[in-house]
Amino acid sequence: RGGADEVIARLPDGYETMLGRRFSQIGHDGVDLSGGEWQKVALSRAFFRSLDNGTAGAQLLILDEPTAALDARAEHELYERFRELTRDKATLLISHRFSTVRMADVIAVMEDGRITELGSHAELIAKGGTYARLYAMQAERYA
């Protein structure tokens, strides 16, 4: 669900392939992945740990810029599954992309290490503060 399956399918030894620059440089059969591929593997690991596999599963997911290295199509596909993957989990999503944070139930705007605004997308737009100003600046590039 995190997108690692397509990455793993291209690896010479599938799930048995050693990953990392170190393994690929010292003559082992390792593979170093691209930034987007690493991100898909990391997201898949996080989502796997959050599943209830007969255990309690992780109840909190912390994702810091989870789609920064993904192309637009891969980002869209991930967020199509995001609500399903995070259902019944508390998720702290850190991002500068307003297309990402817009879907959050509660958005916290941080400035100088402090939360200066808190609310839903609609509430923060109506407030007309920092969030609204920055959202308009990012949206302007797409209009």
Side-chain angles (χ1 to χ4, degrees):
R1 297 281 187 179
D5 56 335
E6 64 189 43
V7 175
I8 302 302
R10 292 191 305 268
L11 296 176
D13 295 317
Y15 284 97
E16 300 301 316
T17 304
M18 293 173 36
L19 299 178
R21 184 176 356 175
R22 179 179 222 169
F23 296 118
S24 65
Q25 289 177 341
I26 60 175
H28 289 78
D29 292 330
V31 173
D32 191 20
L33 303 176
S34 71
E37 290 170 328
W38 275 118
Q39 206 151 24
K40 288 177 182 181
V41 169
L43 284 167
S44 296
R45 286 174 173 166
F47 290 139
F48 179 77
R49 287 184 185 112
S50 74
L51 297 175
D52 186 0
N53 296 313
T55 66
Q59 295 302 303
L60 173 64
L61 288 174
I62 300 174
L63 305 172
D64 186 358
E65 298 289 0
T67 60
L70 300 181
D71 62 41
R73 181 183 57 79
E75 180 180 19
H76 175 76
E77 290 171 1
L78 174 70
Y79 284 124
E80 287 290 307
R81 297 185 307 272
F82 189 79
R83 289 243 185 244
E84 172 193 347
L85 294 166
T86 59
R87 183 174 300 132
D88 301 326
K89 310 282 185 239
T91 306
L92 175 61
L93 178 62
I94 302 161
S95 183
H96 292 90
R97 292 185 184 188
F98 287 89
S99 60
T100 298
V101 299
R102 183 178 181 167
M103 70 177 163
D105 297 324
V106 178
I107 300 166
V109 177
M110 292 190 69
E111 296 178 271
D112 299 320
R114 294 183 35 219
I115 295 175
T116 57
E117 296 178 30
L118 190 66
S120 68
H121 170 78
E123 292 166 343
L124 295 176
I125 291 293
K127 183 178 177 181
T130 300
Y131 178 88
R133 194 169 50 259
L134 293 174
Y135 180 83
M137 283 190 323
Q138 275 194 13
E140 187 177 282
R141 292 184 293 174
Y142 296 104

